[in-house]
Amino acid sequence: MEELDGEPTLTLIPGINSKKRQMCFDWGPGEMLVCETLFKKKEKEEKVLGCPFIYIVRKDIDVYSRILRKLFNESHSIFVGLQRIEEESAGKSRKAQLVRVSKNYRSVIRACMEEMHQVAIAAQDPVCGRQYSSQVSILSAMELIWNLCEILFIEVAPAGPLLLHLLDWVRLHVCEMDGLSADVLGSENPNKHENFWNLVTLFVLQGHLDEARQMLSKEADANPASASMCRVLGDLMRTMPILSVMLGDDNALLEQKELLSNWYHFLVTRLLYSHPTVKPIELHFYAQSSLDLFLGGDSGPEPLDNILMAAFEFDIHQVIKECSIALSNWWFVAHLTDLLDHCKLLHSHNLYFGSNMREFLLLEYASGLFAHHSLWQLGVDYFDHCPELGRVYLELHIERIPLNTEQKALKVLRICERRQMTEQVRSICKILAMKAVCNNRLGSALSWSIRAKDAAFATLVSDRFLKDYCERGSFSDLDLIDNLGPAMMLSDRLTFLGKYREFHRLYGEKRFLDAASLLLSLMTSQIAPRSFWMTLLTDALPLLEQKQVIFSAEQTYELMQCLEDLTTGRPEPRDLEGQRPQDDDIETTKVEMLRLALARNLARAIVKEGTLEGS
């Protein structure tokens, strides 16, 4: 295992002195809770409340930036499109596709950087303005590094064209010339401007020879005394040989150090005038010597310098490592590594804990997205494209998503169902069913319990439906109960609920014989809970009192047996004064009415059946 490159960054918690007081913490998937405790090392110390707050320390705070969320959202579609590039495409076609993908990533970075720059300018709070400006610098460095990696690792330009790419790289990312040019050319007399010759020199240093000649032409027109000199300089620039060995003077270039602004600008200018046919394998030598010459021992290299130097050395893994340390989130290294992996440049590099570098970085990035209330949806696709551990990570993270609304729960549920994540689907449905029960939304609760295929919870909800019916005398959510279909077989209680509702439907349609047969079968098959038998027998009363004989003698005997089974051995509760409660009086009245109705129906059924036999 490699040693750490340095001490980890310290995070200070406001109001807590860790040297004098104890702290407790609890890890979460993307954050940590920190608070002060009352625990003391010495028992005699007085327990005085110091810091009464609980702090949340977040690992990936960039996901909460409105502008950076655009970076995450737009790069997501580029990432998904990259995974769909056919493996069969090879050669120039595949290389062109990968270069186009790289440019798309860079365009997203630049768009976010420009928007962040505008926000920084408009910020009224100086602290916020500095934060935005700092983020602009980070985005600028990200595009600078990405562009160089694109030139060296994806374009893989040979000697000659390599220098042209590097010139474009410097021109794009050294922005001082843009401001200087606008300042000089926007003045009334550009050739009289104090920075006129600085601009000409900067054009020459960046290889903008046509622009430099135009500036000299303006000087010649405005000042005839210098026309001859300007003409000679212009001819030299016009006839300057390109892409051949030349005689650049490092000291002469270093004299323009202030205009060059940084060592890699100096490097490209040096290559332009001294080594225009530089080969890729030679770059690291010129890069290191340019860095040393430019810094001159006055200061050490910055993290950005180390990253660029690793790129010039064609050390991809060091580039990724340095970027992982220097940058505040995993977006850059995850997407760059994925792109380089598609370029077949990382296949030989596996990590000691089993996953390759590409997958490890994608997993870390996607895990950070799951800390956000909406960006977690992007993280799902990143996990999908991690073949080794992506499924496991997705299962762990998706269980932690707070299901604040039913709409969000449905999104999570669809994701799980499409990926056949059976346990997660069941867990989500159970949670939603429980919430619905707590809110007394029995129809929704029953629907979720059926979707979860949870027999125990379906039984619980069915009991609540039956209890609700006993109290109100009618069913709620009739559409759901009427259309249970095969789902009613999930549990006996759910089956009873569906069949009992069917009994009421048959009774309402005046199909009394079918209703009576169904009612009796519910009792004799033992599918009805015993506590509900009295309700069923009470429902039989209107059928027993019909003019037409509905229950046969045999069916009536079965109903009588059910009534006796229900009443035999039942305790007779009494109050403190020895009197039976009012509810028990009502129950006794029901039993007497049922016995009378059953006896009358039995007599009518025997007479009817005897008459039919006699005829």
Side-chain angles (χ1 to χ4, degrees):
M1 185 173 177
E2 296 181 358
E3 296 292 332
L4 290 175
D5 294 275
E7 291 296 324
T9 305
L10 291 177
T11 301
L12 298 178
I13 309 299
I16 295 181
N17 187 342
S18 59
K19 293 182 179 179
K20 294 184 177 180
R21 297 186 179 275
Q22 300 292 327
M23 290 186 294
C24 69
F25 62 89
D26 188 25
W27 290 101
E31 56 195 19
M32 180 174 66
L33 296 179
V34 182
C35 65
E36 181 184 304
T37 69
L38 292 176
F39 175 77
K40 303 295 180 183
K41 293 182 179 179
K42 297 180 181 179
E43 295 182 0
K44 296 182 179 180
E45 290 186 10
E46 184 180 357
K47 295 184 177 180
V48 180
L49 188 63
C51 180
F53 301 106
I54 296 177
Y55 290 91
I56 300 176
V57 182
R58 289 194 171 98
K59 180 174 65 174
D60 295 303
I61 59 173
D62 288 342
V63 297
Y64 299 95
S65 167
R66 178 184 61 83
I67 298 174
L68 290 181
R69 283 203 298 273
K70 293 183 178 180
L71 175 69
F72 302 146
N73 277 305
E74 294 181 21
S75 60
H76 165 261
S77 60
I78 301 173
F79 170 83
V80 173
L82 176 58
Q83 313 311 309
R84 294 172 182 164
I85 291 181
E86 296 183 1
E87 292 294 331
E88 291 77 14
S89 59
K92 294 183 179 180
S93 172
R94 181 174 177 79
K95 179 180 176 181
Q97 286 180 314
L98 294 172
V99 170
R100 184 167 61 251
V101 169
S102 179
K103 292 182 185 298
N104 288 340
Y105 276 127
R106 285 201 294 115
S107 68
V108 172
I109 298 174
R110 178 158 287 271
C112 288
M113 180 178 66
E114 291 174 353
E115 183 176 353
M116 189 77 76
H117 179 65
Q118 296 300 320
V119 173
I121 294 174
Q124 297 180 350
D125 183 3
V127 176
C128 291
R130 287 193 295 271
Q131 291 176 348
Y132 289 131
S133 297
S134 174
Q135 196 67 58
V136 169
S137 300
I138 294 172
L139 290 169
S140 177
M142 287 165 59
E143 190 193 3
L144 175 75
I145 300 165
W146 192 297
N147 196 355
L148 182 60
C149 291
E150 179 185 302
I151 293 169
L152 300 179
F153 304 138
I154 305 173
E155 290 272 11
V156 196
L162 174 60
L163 177 59
L164 299 179
H165 285 299
L166 291 175
L167 280 170
D168 290 337
W169 174 62
V170 166
R171 291 165 184 168
L172 179 63
H173 298 288
V174 177
C175 303
E176 287 83 355
M177 192 179 72
D178 295 335
L180 186 61
S181 177
D183 189 28
V184 173
L185 296 178
S187 63
E188 294 183 4
N189 297 308
N191 60 304
K192 299 295 183 181
H193 197 282
E194 60 181 353
N195 288 322
F196 176 83
W197 289 106
N198 284 342
L199 180 59
V200 173
T201 305
L202 197 52
F203 277 140
V204 174
L205 292 173
Q206 288 198 4
H208 291 281
L209 301 183
D210 291 338
E211 289 83 350
R213 288 169 58 206
Q214 291 175 8
M215 296 291 291
L216 290 173
S217 177
K218 291 179 183 293
E219 170 64 15
D221 293 340
N223 191 357
S226 61
S228 177
M229 178 194 68
C230 292
R231 189 179 305 109
V232 171
L233 291 173
D235 289 341
L236 285 173
M237 293 178 194
R238 181 172 52 80
T239 59
M240 172 185 167
I242 301 296
L243 302 182
S244 62
V245 178
M246 299 167 65
L247 298 175
D249 187 343
D250 290 347
N251 292 328
L253 293 176
L254 283 173
E255 290 177 2
Q256 307 300 326
K257 185 175 180 179
E258 292 184 2
L259 293 177
L260 289 169
S261 71
N262 53 60
W263 69 269
Y264 48 89
H265 189 184
F266 169 62
L267 164 65
V268 176
T269 302
R270 183 185 177 200
L271 294 176
L272 174 63
Y273 290 103
S274 300
H275 311 281
T277 57
V278 63
K279 298 176 183 178
I281 199 171
E282 300 170 339
L283 270 178
H284 72 93
F285 167 75
Y286 293 110
Q288 186 62 59
S289 60
S290 296
L291 177 62
D292 295 338
L293 285 170
F294 195 84
L295 296 181
D298 296 333
S299 60
E302 298 290 333
L304 177 59
D305 301 329
N306 295 330
I307 295 169
L308 296 178
M309 188 58 66
F312 283 122
E313 293 173 354
F314 287 86
D315 190 343
I316 297 174
H317 304 123
Q318 189 64 24
V319 171
I320 296 170
K321 179 180 178 181
E322 294 285 350
C323 289
S324 299
I325 296 171
L327 299 177
S328 59
N329 63 69
W330 295 102
W331 179 90
F332 182 86
V333 289
H335 290 85
L336 179 61
T337 303
D338 175 63
L339 180 57
L340 295 177
D341 185 71
H342 279 79
C343 296
K344 312 294 184 184
L345 296 174
L346 295 173
H347 284 186
S348 62
H349 194 81
N350 290 324
L351 303 180
Y352 69 91
F353 46 82
S355 177
N356 60 47
M357 181 180 287
R358 170 193 174 272
E359 180 159 323
F360 168 75
L361 294 173
L362 288 176
L363 291 173
E364 288 297 315
Y365 172 65
S367 297
L369 293 178
F370 266 81
H372 192 266
H373 64 88
S374 63
L375 292 179
W376 64 267
Q377 298 171 77
L378 307 181
V380 173
D381 287 327
Y382 288 94
F383 283 144
D384 282 345
H385 292 97
C386 294
E388 190 170 342
L389 298 174
R391 171 85 178 203
V392 177
Y393 269 65
L394 179 58
E395 290 175 352
L396 291 174
H397 280 280
I398 211 159
E399 290 176 348
R400 296 187 175 102
I401 296 176
L403 305 177
N404 303 324
T405 64
E406 190 162 315
Q407 182 182 7
K408 187 175 182 180
L410 288 171
K411 283 184 181 179
V412 178
L413 197 59
R414 283 194 294 270
I415 288 170
C416 295
E417 288 177 337
R418 281 198 295 266
R419 289 157 182 80
Q420 299 180 348
M421 298 165 62
T422 308
E423 289 302 319
Q424 285 69 29
V425 168
R426 189 170 298 164
S427 174
I428 293 168
C429 291
K430 284 182 179 179
I431 292 171
L432 294 173
M434 183 62 72
K435 286 185 176 181
V437 167
C438 293
N439 293 325
N440 204 33
R441 294 168 52 230
L442 298 182
S444 180
L446 182 58
S447 178
W448 286 121
S449 61
I450 292 172
R451 198 165 179 176
K453 295 181 173 58
D454 188 334
F457 205 85
T459 298
L460 173 66
V461 178
S462 299
D463 282 337
R464 287 287 299 271
F465 263 106
L466 295 173
K467 180 182 177 183
D468 192 52
Y469 169 79
C470 291
E471 293 174 353
R472 296 172 50 193
S474 62
F475 283 111
S476 59
D477 300 285
L478 289 179
D479 289 342
L480 174 63
I481 301 175
D482 287 342
N483 295 282
L484 285 173
M488 72 169 63
M489 304 305 294
L490 181 61
S491 75
D492 287 347
R493 197 61 45 82
L494 184 57
T495 303
F496 170 72
L497 176 64
K499 291 296 183 181
Y500 185 54
R501 166 56 193 158
E502 185 181 348
F503 160 76
H504 280 277
R505 182 174 57 79
L506 293 172
Y507 185 88
E509 295 172 356
K510 300 189 182 304
R511 296 166 58 185
F512 298 137
L513 291 174
D514 293 336
S517 178
L518 178 57
L519 184 67
L520 184 60
S521 68
L522 290 176
M523 298 186 68
T524 56
S525 64
Q526 304 295 318
I527 195 173
R530 193 176 182 87
S531 60
F532 210 75
W533 277 20
M534 182 55 72
T535 302
L536 294 176
L537 289 168
T538 305
D539 287 334
L541 271 175
L543 296 173
L544 292 170
E545 299 296 336
Q546 291 288 327
K547 292 182 179 180
Q548 176 188 1
V549 177
I550 305 299
F551 289 103
S552 66
E554 182 179 355
Q555 290 176 325
T556 307
Y557 279 126
E558 289 182 299
L559 287 174
M560 287 178 168
Q561 184 62 50
C562 290
L563 180 59
E564 292 305 313
D565 290 344
L566 183 62
T567 56
T568 300
R570 292 181 64 188
E572 295 186 358
R574 297 177 180 274
D575 59 18
L576 295 177
E577 297 179 356
Q579 299 295 323
R580 288 181 298 182
Q582 183 178 1
D583 289 345
D584 196 57
D585 290 340
I586 296 173
E587 198 75 8
T588 302
T589 303
K590 285 183 181 179
V591 171
E592 292 174 353
M593 291 175 61
L594 282 168
R595 283 175 174 159
L596 179 61
L598 287 168
R600 282 202 301 258
N601 187 80
L602 179 61
R604 293 167 59 203
I606 291 174
V607 170
K608 178 183 177 182
E609 291 170 9
T611 303
L612 291 175
E613 289 178 2
S615 62

